[in-house]
């Protein structure tokens, strides 16, 4: 075979090779390696021509240096590494030196230099690829490339030796062509292998991303077949233990999502909110998926679980309802409690004037009971709205349970057994005694009613195992239990299953409100098969017991006091004044704060204590008490109101309406006793 034929064959091979390398990975080593093979072909061509034109000897070594440099540069690009700084400057310098030596030095020096440069480039390229194989799994094509690249050292040495020993280089040129075919094939295969590995990594990353998205995602083709889906979609759509490709029809999923034929028809094209069979709520929507040309190749089906969102929205609506009811209850309480104060107070005054055998005493008692019942209803509404006052102390739950159970037994059917279980060494609870008792009474009443005249109710208290610093107060019964629908709504306000027997639906809502206000929680354990257990948690107390804190009785003042009363409601004002006068005190009454201030400025006589209503026309009672220091410094004051809570910024003793005369006198005596102690 002539040299011309070899050159032509090499040229064709070179064109195909360069195009292949460039198309496979122009930025992953393919571009540099394509140029490298072009450079080595140019080196051989110039070498051939230099026999006829000796000045060309200066240029052909530069192509050999470029081949070695591009071989190394391609290897660095293949492994994703950058070239050393100043690399191409060094390559140009070596090329110039080799060009000078090719003219001035003996031919042997030129041939040895060419073989050394090419061998160095091939060995360095093999080392770079081999080092990358230690950091990640290397494929067979990459391992082949690492083995074949050093063969260029042998090829280059043999070719240059053939040129040095004789003018005939066809065998060496053929040897170069065979080596190039082997190494270039390994390069192309390695780059295909690298591209496949990167593509697999990208697919794995994309699959992990799709799986981690908290949405149900699925690809539906134009025939309505489910092609791909993530685990969230499978869970929501009821696909269990099946591969996506085994679901030939979209209808199967649609039938699971909805029983409505109309919704099922719209499911493929509209955004819908559906209620799944398991009770979850999902939003279903579909969007077109298009290829690069814009043609629709399928649809992306998205299922978004909105169960928690809808529950939170319902809770927000409930919270707004509670807020509205709270405002309403607070407004009603002020006026209603004023009237109840008049009724209860005057009834108590009348009772003290009647003999025990007087038949009117029993009628008066009925009036008092009715008024107290109305007061209890108002108190329940305010407890429900969390507006009732809270006076927390250390409560002995065991003692409170015994009191509540003893009272409940007196009103329970004979067939109902009520047991008490107290864990030894249980600490005291830090709570409001009246509110805690109301919770216990409500739960006991429900449990006794649930057993329907024959059964067992148990009240227990123990240290919570799940929540540190909390006690568990539980009331359980062996009644019929309740279903899921009732259990989910059991704490909703005004929800009751006893509408026909007079249930208001506030009992458990009040329980929930009181427990939550104490920083605890309440939940129910029940099943339709029977039995229910209501568990409430309460904070433990680190202080003394209620009896220790409040055991000392307040002694009644033996002296006559001069009391300033400011109340805009005439009935309440007359009741307060009458109760104080009956106790032997002197009373000065005013309807408004402005009237009282005018009298004080005009030189009103001795005043020992002021009793002021919170909601006065014009200046409020709290503002009036704040301004008392100008006229009577350090004058003790008592604030009373039909609201159940004092102003947040007020530090004045507070008495909630309705109250009896005895409670008013006790509050006055308590203030004076505290003043003496200070």
């Amino acid at each position: 075979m002539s040299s011309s034929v070899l050159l032509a064959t090499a040229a064709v091979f070179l064109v195909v090779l360069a195009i292949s390398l460039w198309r496979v990975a122009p930025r992953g080593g393919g571009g540099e390696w394509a140029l490298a093979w072009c450079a080595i072909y140019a080196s051989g061509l110039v070498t051939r021509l230099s026999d006829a034109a000796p000045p060309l000897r200066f240029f052909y070594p530069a192509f050999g240096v470029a081949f070695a440099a591009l071989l190394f540069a391609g290897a660095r690009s293949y492994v994703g590494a950058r070239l050393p700084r100043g690399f191409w400057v060094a390559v140009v310098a070596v090329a110039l030196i080799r060009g000078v030596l090719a003219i001035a030095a003996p031919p042997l020096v030129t041939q040895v230099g060419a073989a050394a440069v090419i061998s160095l480039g091939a060995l360095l390229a093999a080392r770079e690829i081999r080092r990358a194989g230690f950091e990640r799994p290397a494929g067979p094509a990459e391992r082949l490339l690492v083995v074949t690249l050093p063969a260029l050292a042998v090829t280059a040495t043999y070719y240059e030796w053939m040129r040095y020993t004789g003018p005939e280089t066809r065998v060496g040129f053929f040897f170069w062509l065979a080596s190039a075919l082997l190494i270039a094939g390994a390069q192309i295969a390695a780059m295909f292998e690298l591209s496949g590995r990167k593509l697999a990594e990208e697919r794995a990353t994309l699959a992990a991303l799709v799986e981690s998205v908290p949405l149900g995602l699925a690809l539906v083709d134009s025939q309505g077949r489910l092609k791909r889906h993530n685990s969230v979609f499978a869970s929501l759509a009821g696909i269990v233990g099946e591969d996506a490709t085994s679901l030939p029809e979209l209808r199967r999923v649609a039938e699971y999502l909805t029983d409505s034929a109309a919704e099922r028809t719209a499911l493929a094209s509209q955004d819908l909110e559906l209620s799944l069979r398991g009770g979850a709520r999902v939003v279903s929507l579909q969007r077109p998926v298009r290829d690069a040309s814009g043609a629709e190749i399928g649809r992306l089906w998205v299922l978004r679980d909105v169960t928690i969102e809808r529950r939170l929205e319902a809770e927000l609506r409930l919270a707004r309802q509670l807020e509205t009811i709270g405002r309403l209850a607070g407004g009603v309480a002020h006026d209603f409690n004023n009237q109840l104060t008049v009724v209860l107070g005057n009834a108590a005054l009348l009772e003290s004037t009647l003999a025990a055998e007087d038949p009117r005493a029993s009628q008066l008692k009925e009036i008092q009971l009715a008024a107290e019942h109305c007061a209890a209803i108002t108190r329940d509404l305010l407890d429900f709205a969390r507006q009732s006052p809270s006076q927390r102390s250390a409560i002995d739950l065991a003692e409170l349970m015994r009191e509540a159970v003893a009272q409940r037994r007196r009103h329970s059917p004979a067939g109902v057994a009520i047991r008490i279980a107290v864990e030894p060494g249980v600490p005291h609870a830090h709570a409001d005694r009246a509110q805690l008792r109301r919770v216990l009474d409500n739960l006991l009443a429900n449990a006794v009613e649930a057993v329907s005249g024959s059964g067992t109710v148990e009240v227990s208290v123990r240290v919570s195992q799940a929540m540190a610093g909390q006690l568990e107060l539980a009331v359980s019964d062996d009644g019929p239990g309740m279903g899921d629908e009732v259990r989910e709504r059991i704490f909703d306000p005004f929800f009751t299953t006893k509408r026909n027997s007079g249930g208001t639906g506030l009992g458990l809502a009040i329980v929930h409100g009181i427990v939550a206000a104490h920083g605890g929680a309440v939940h129910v354990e029940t099943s339709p098969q029977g039995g229910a257990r209501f568990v409430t948690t309460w904070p433990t107390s680190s202080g003394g017991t209620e009896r220790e804190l409040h055991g000392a009785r307040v002694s009644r003042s033996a002296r006559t006091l001069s009391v300033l009363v400011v109340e805009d409601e005439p009935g309440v004002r007359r009741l307060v004044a009458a109760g104080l006068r009956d106790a032997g005190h002197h009373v000065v009454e005013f309807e408004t704060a402005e009237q009282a201030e005018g009298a004080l400025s005009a030189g009103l006589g001795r005043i020992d204590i002021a009793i002021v209503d919170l909601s006065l026309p014009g200046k409020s009672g709290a503002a009036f008490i704040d301004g008392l220091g100008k006229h009577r410094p350090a004058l003790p004051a008592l604030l009373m109101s039909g609201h159940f809570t004092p102003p947040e910024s007020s530090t004045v003793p507070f008495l909630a309406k309705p109250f009896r005369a005895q409670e008013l006198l006790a509050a006055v005596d308590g203030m004076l006793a505290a003043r003496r102690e200070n």
Side-chain angles (χ1 to χ4, degrees):
M1 184 182 292
S2 65
S3 299
S4 300
V5 174
L6 284 174
L7 288 173
T9 303
V12 173
F13 166 73
L14 179 66
V15 171
V16 175
L17 176 64
I19 293 175
S20 300
L21 288 169
W22 186 268
R23 291 295 299 273
V24 170
R27 296 184 180 179
E32 292 89 342
W33 283 341
L35 292 175
W37 292 113
C38 291
I40 199 63
Y41 176 81
S43 175
L45 183 61
V46 171
T47 299
R48 183 72 176 174
L49 297 176
S50 66
D51 293 337
L56 291 177
R57 292 177 182 175
F58 178 81
F59 297 100
Y60 87 82
F63 291 106
V65 174
F67 172 73
L70 288 168
L71 208 62
F72 175 75
R76 295 281 290 187
S77 180
Y78 174 84
V79 300
R82 301 179 65 178
L83 289 170
R85 184 176 298 178
F87 174 76
W88 291 112
V89 175
V91 169
V92 172
V94 172
L96 291 175
I97 294 172
R98 285 216 57 232
V100 172
L101 291 177
I103 295 176
L108 180 60
V109 175
T110 302
Q111 266 72 52
V112 171
V117 169
I118 293 174
S119 299
L120 180 62
L123 292 173
L124 289 176
R127 189 192 69 166
E128 291 295 328
I129 297 173
R130 182 171 179 270
R131 186 163 53 186
F134 290 139
E135 300 174 357
R136 52 169 172 74
E142 189 174 288
R143 289 194 293 268
L144 176 63
L145 183 59
V146 172
V147 173
T148 54
L149 273 173
L152 283 177
V154 178
T155 300
T157 302
Y158 177 76
Y159 177 76
E160 296 300 333
W161 173 253
M162 292 293 294
R163 287 190 65 241
Y164 178 74
T165 56
E168 183 58 52
T169 59
R170 284 182 296 176
V171 176
F173 198 78
F174 181 81
F175 196 29
W176 252 114
L177 188 62
S179 299
L181 180 63
L182 176 63
I183 295 172
Q187 287 174 332
I188 293 174
M191 283 187 290
F192 270 117
E193 197 172 69
L194 179 64
S195 299
R197 184 163 54 243
K198 289 182 178 179
L199 182 60
E201 291 174 355
E202 290 175 359
R203 285 180 175 175
T205 301
L206 181 60
L209 181 63
V210 170
E211 281 295 321
S212 64
V213 172
L215 297 172
L217 302 177
L219 179 63
V220 180
D221 66 12
S222 56
Q223 283 75 41
R225 290 174 298 197
L226 202 61
K227 304 300 292 182
R228 296 287 187 273
H229 67 273
N230 64 358
S231 58
V232 178
F233 186 93
S235 175
L236 293 174
I239 303 173
V240 180
E242 292 187 77
D243 184 67
T245 57
S246 68
L247 294 169
E249 298 293 337
L250 187 62
R251 190 180 301 110
R252 268 181 82 175
V253 177
E255 287 175 353
Y256 177 84
L257 292 177
T258 175
D259 293 327
S260 168
E263 285 184 339
R264 195 178 307 145
T265 302
L267 199 57
S269 58
Q270 298 181 14
D271 296 354
L272 298 174
E273 182 169 330
L274 305 169
S275 214
L276 302 188
R277 296 179 184 178
R281 300 280 302 176
V282 296
V283 171
S284 169
L285 56 92
Q286 293 195 30
R287 297 293 182 268
V289 178
R290 305 183 186 278
D291 59 14
S293 65
E296 184 175 326
I297 59 175
R299 300 182 72 81
L300 176 65
W301 191 0
V302 181
L303 295 179
R304 184 166 67 91
D305 190 346
V306 294
T307 307
I308 296 178
E309 292 179 30
R310 297 298 176 261
R311 184 166 64 245
L312 292 176
E313 289 172 1
E315 290 177 357
L316 178 60
R317 286 193 297 270
L318 176 60
R320 288 174 177 169
Q321 291 173 1
L322 296 181
E323 184 180 1
T324 302
I325 293 172
R327 292 198 192 101
L328 176 62
V332 169
H334 177 258
D335 294 333
F336 196 52
N337 285 336
N338 271 334
Q339 306 308 316
L340 289 176
T341 301
V342 175
V343 173
L344 286 172
N346 283 294
L349 291 176
L350 284 175
E351 186 181 25
S352 64
T353 64
L354 298 177
E357 62 277 3
D358 193 322
R360 291 174 296 177
S362 61
Q363 297 170 347
L364 192 60
K365 196 65 175 179
E366 291 296 327
I367 294 175
Q368 289 178 310
L369 290 175
E372 288 173 353
H373 182 66
C374 292
I377 293 174
T378 305
R379 200 162 43 244
D380 283 346
L381 284 172
L382 292 176
D383 280 339
F384 166 63
R386 301 182 190 176
Q387 291 189 7
S388 57
S390 179
Q391 299 177 351
R392 301 183 188 181
S393 58
I395 306 297
D396 186 346
L397 281 179
E399 179 184 351
L400 188 70
M401 288 162 51
R402 284 190 287 270
E403 293 176 3
V405 168
Q407 183 178 6
R408 179 55 53 185
R409 281 173 177 158
R410 289 195 294 269
H411 300 88
S412 299
V416 177
I418 306 178
R419 296 199 302 252
I420 296 177
V422 179
E423 183 181 77
V426 66
H428 292 135
H430 182 66
D432 182 283
R433 181 183 180 85
Q435 293 180 355
L436 200 158
R437 175 63 185 270
R438 190 170 294 120
V439 167
L440 189 53
D441 286 342
N442 271 327
L443 295 180
L444 273 172
N446 285 346
V448 170
E449 186 169 349
V451 298
S452 301
S454 178
T456 302
V457 174
E458 181 177 274
V459 187
S460 63
V461 62
R462 66 176 185 178
V463 176
S464 174
Q465 302 299 316
M467 302 173 65
Q470 296 278 320
L471 299 175
E472 284 187 4
L473 175 62
V475 177
S476 59
D477 64 75
D478 56 3
M482 63 188 78
D484 292 339
E485 182 179 353
V486 174
R487 181 179 56 186
E488 289 176 2
R489 300 190 58 193
I490 197 71
F491 297 108
D492 289 355
F494 308 114
F495 172 78
T496 179
T497 59
K498 301 176 288 185
R499 188 75 64 188
N500 295 332
S501 59
T504 63
L506 282 177
L508 289 177
I510 291 170
V511 167
H512 188 279
I514 292 176
V515 174
H518 280 76
V522 55
H523 69 275
V524 58
E525 302 166 0
T526 184
S527 69
Q529 287 71 36
R533 184 171 184 264
F534 287 83
V535 182
T536 62
T537 59
W538 303 84
T540 58
S541 175
S542 57
T545 65
E546 182 185 33
R547 189 168 294 171
E548 292 168 353
L549 294 174
H550 303 288
R553 295 183 58 85
V554 178
S555 60
R556 284 293 176 93
S557 174
R559 67 187 182 92
T560 299
L561 302 175
S562 182
V563 184
L564 172 67
V565 176
V566 186
E567 167 63 65
D568 62 316
E569 181 66 35
V572 177
R573 187 172 65 251
R574 288 193 296 268
L575 172 67
V576 171
L580 291 170
R581 289 189 180 108
D582 285 349
H585 301 305
H586 175 68
V587 180
V588 182
E589 306 173 40
F590 295 99
E591 184 176 355
T592 65
E594 289 79 8
Q595 293 174 358
E597 287 178 341
L600 290 170
S601 300
L604 188 65
R606 178 175 65 90
I607 298 294
D608 299 305
I609 188 170
I611 300 176
V612 185
D613 184 53
L614 174 62
S615 301
L616 293 172
K619 179 181 285 188
S620 70
F624 172 73
I625 291 175
D626 290 340
L628 273 177
K630 298 178 182 178
H631 307 287
R632 302 294 169 93
L635 178 67
L638 175 67
L639 196 62
M640 58 183 178
S641 174
H643 297 289
F644 271 17
T645 52
E648 293 183 0
S649 58
S650 176
T651 58
V652 178
F654 181 80
L655 181 62
K657 301 174 184 177
F659 53 79
R660 293 185 175 86
Q662 294 90 336
E663 294 170 335
L664 173 64
L665 295 175
V668 171
D669 292 341
M671 289 174 55
L672 295 177
R675 184 177 178 83
R676 286 195 298 270
E677 291 175 1
N678 294 333

